[in-house]
Amino acid sequence: MAKIGILTGGGDCPGLNPVIRAVVRKAHNEGYEIIGIRNGWKGLIENNTITLDLASVSGILPKGGTILGTSRTNPYKKEGGVDKVKETIRALGIDALIAVGGEDTLGVASRLVKDGIPSIVGVPKTIDNDLSSTDYTFGFDTALNTAMECIDRLHTTAESHHRIIVVEVMGRHAGWIAVEAGIAGGADIILIPELPIDIEEVCSLIHKRHSRGKTFSIVVVAEGAQFKEEDMVTQEQKLDEFGHVRLGGIGEKIAALIEKKTGYETRVSVLGHIQRGGSPSAFDRILGTRFGVKAVELIKNKKFGRMVALAGKNIIDVSLEEAVKELKTIDKELYAIAKEFFG
Ligand code: F6P
């Protein structure tokens, strides 16, 4: 019986368990055996696996996170890492591998395809929605709804206290969560990584709002937003194995400037990992399920080096190499719509 390995790597997100369940169920229907690899690429370096049978995926559909665990391990940054990955794959008798991840995990998958492990299929996930070649990644919709609900809650307290509240959301170098949660939650200003922050404009929009009788404002800022000539605000400078810094803190900076320049009392709320947790939305459960089934179909048809993707209403497959080439940043037309409601 052919064996399929599956791993989840990088930041977790809601929808990973629906993918794992779908892969196991579809693989079972097709007569494949499935091996779960723990903690992303780390599990292949350390030969750390679990058996995935029908019983082990029963009841996981509504669960957030990943039953396989995850890590930000990059085998290309570990001494002998790639050789260990190859060794484990050989030792376990894995015929094909499904890598579920974002730009980093899938970037490794794409390199491994060229470096002697050709039978890999990618499944795109991330709350950031920043992967090109797919209209949506699962995880984004749940994070977006969580952020929207938080903005709703912050509205009532901002209004009662006549305050400005700055809401910092995740998204790394793309403004998808900020823009979509901002539109859905009725933000008065949205600041994104794709456009430099102009604090004078922010303050003048707040003044404009106050001059028409409003006594509060909600400013949504993406963690990766930055001032023109300044570096991104980070929690620490140390780079992870994929060369990323830990973003966070721009909300505090903006809030202090707004209070100083406008005189209005200002507070900041950093949503952080709350956006990554919790039960997946219906959209993410369905997308994850469709991706999982399609990934096994690709293996069945020996279409390797491919990534499953959403194009309009259809699930398609695209080149893994192309998919990780560049990030998908915000749609300018969508931001233009958000701007109609600023101030
Ligand atoms: O990529 C998903 C994400 O949540 C980003 O939005 C955020 O910048 C980063 O991961 C946080 O990473 P960690 O969980 O390692 O702190």
Side-chain angles (χ1 to χ4, degrees):
M1 188 192 284
K3 267 191 206 168
I4 299 177
I6 177 170
L7 62 82
T8 54
D12 74 324
C13 74
L16 288 165
N17 285 327
V19 175
I20 297 166
R21 170 179 172 268
V23 164
V24 172
R25 295 287 296 266
K26 175 69 177 165
H28 176 82
N29 294 346
E30 298 293 342
Y32 294 118
E33 189 184 327
I34 288 278
I35 297 180
I37 294 141
R38 285 192 198 271
N39 308 325
W41 297 114
K42 191 165 188 260
L44 279 180
I45 294 173
E46 297 172 350
N47 195 346
N48 186 0
T49 62
I50 52 168
T51 311
L52 282 179
D53 54 16
L54 293 185
S56 49
V57 295
S58 170
I60 68 168
L61 181 62
K63 266 188 89 180
T66 161
I67 61 162
L68 292 176
T70 186
S71 71
R72 293 198 185 278
T73 301
N74 182 351
Y76 284 93
K77 287 285 149 97
K78 301 270 180 227
E79 184 77 37
V82 174
D83 288 338
K84 284 191 184 136
V85 166
K86 287 182 184 171
E87 225 173 271
T88 308
I89 288 180
R90 215 175 303 118
L92 293 169
I94 290 175
D95 301 295
L97 181 68
I98 297 177
V100 190
E103 51 150 341
D104 299 331
T105 304
L106 297 181
V108 168
S110 172
R111 280 182 78 176
L112 287 173
V113 167
K114 283 188 238 146
D115 290 345
I117 311 175
S119 316
I120 303 183
V121 163
V123 176
K125 65 91 231 194
T126 167
I127 64 162
D128 304 337
N129 199 36
D130 59 355
L131 272 168
S132 48
S133 308
T134 184
D135 288 352
Y136 281 100
T137 51
F138 63 84
F140 172 69
D141 184 68
T142 310
L144 165 64
N145 278 286
T146 303
M148 177 194 73
E149 196 198 321
C150 292
I151 295 169
D152 286 350
R153 287 172 189 271
L154 291 167
H155 258 106
T156 61
T157 171
E159 186 166 11
S160 305
H161 282 267
H162 315 291
R163 283 172 173 159
I164 315 297
I165 295 193
V166 175
V167 191
E168 183 183 301
V169 298
M170 281 185 167
R172 207 160 248 160
H173 306 299
W176 292 102
I177 299 178
V179 173
E180 295 211 8
I183 292 174
D188 305 303
I189 298 164
I190 303 169
L191 304 170
I192 55 173
E194 291 87 343
L195 293 169
I197 301 168
D198 180 345
I199 197 68
E200 300 307 329
E201 193 193 347
V202 170
C203 294
S204 94
L205 284 167
I206 290 169
H207 282 308
K208 184 177 148 207
R209 222 178 113 73
H210 280 236
S211 68
R212 65 180 172 90
K214 293 289 182 188
T215 62
F216 73 97
S217 293
I218 299 286
V219 179
V220 173
V221 58
E223 61 179 359
Q226 65 191 111
F227 293 94
K228 206 171 194 163
E229 256 108 49
E230 287 183 25
D231 290 338
M232 262 174 304
V233 182
T234 59
Q235 294 182 50
E236 56 173 22
Q237 280 303 315
K238 215 179 84 195
L239 300 181
D240 70 13
E241 291 183 11
F242 290 94
H244 301 298
V245 284
R246 269 178 70 203
L247 296 173
I250 184 69
E252 279 290 351
K253 202 165 177 181
I254 298 281
L257 283 170
I258 292 175
E259 188 165 271
K260 193 169 154 222
K261 285 178 181 281
T262 64
Y264 300 129
E265 194 179 23
T266 307
R267 295 285 191 270
V268 58
S269 192
V270 180
L271 302 190
H273 290 84
I274 284 173
Q275 295 157 98
R276 286 232 305 259
S279 183
S281 65
F283 182 89
D284 285 338
R285 292 183 199 190
I286 295 166
L287 187 59
T289 299
R290 294 177 76 195
F291 277 175
V293 168
K294 178 77 175 180
V296 177
E297 277 169 6
L298 290 182
I299 289 174
K300 190 179 167 193
N301 296 322
K302 301 203 177 338
K303 284 185 89 177
F304 299 119
R306 310 290 293 170
M307 182 187 88
V308 299
L310 180 70
K313 288 187 169 174
N314 302 320
I315 304 293
I316 59 164
D317 60 276
V318 297
S319 147
L320 191 50
E321 191 182 359
E322 287 300 315
V324 294
K325 261 191 185 146
E326 61 181 276
L327 284 185
K328 182 177 70 186
T329 49
I330 202 71
D331 174 351
K332 289 198 177 64
E333 276 176 34
L334 190 65
Y335 191 67
I337 288 172
K339 275 185 88 172
E340 297 289 344
F341 301 87
F342 286 7

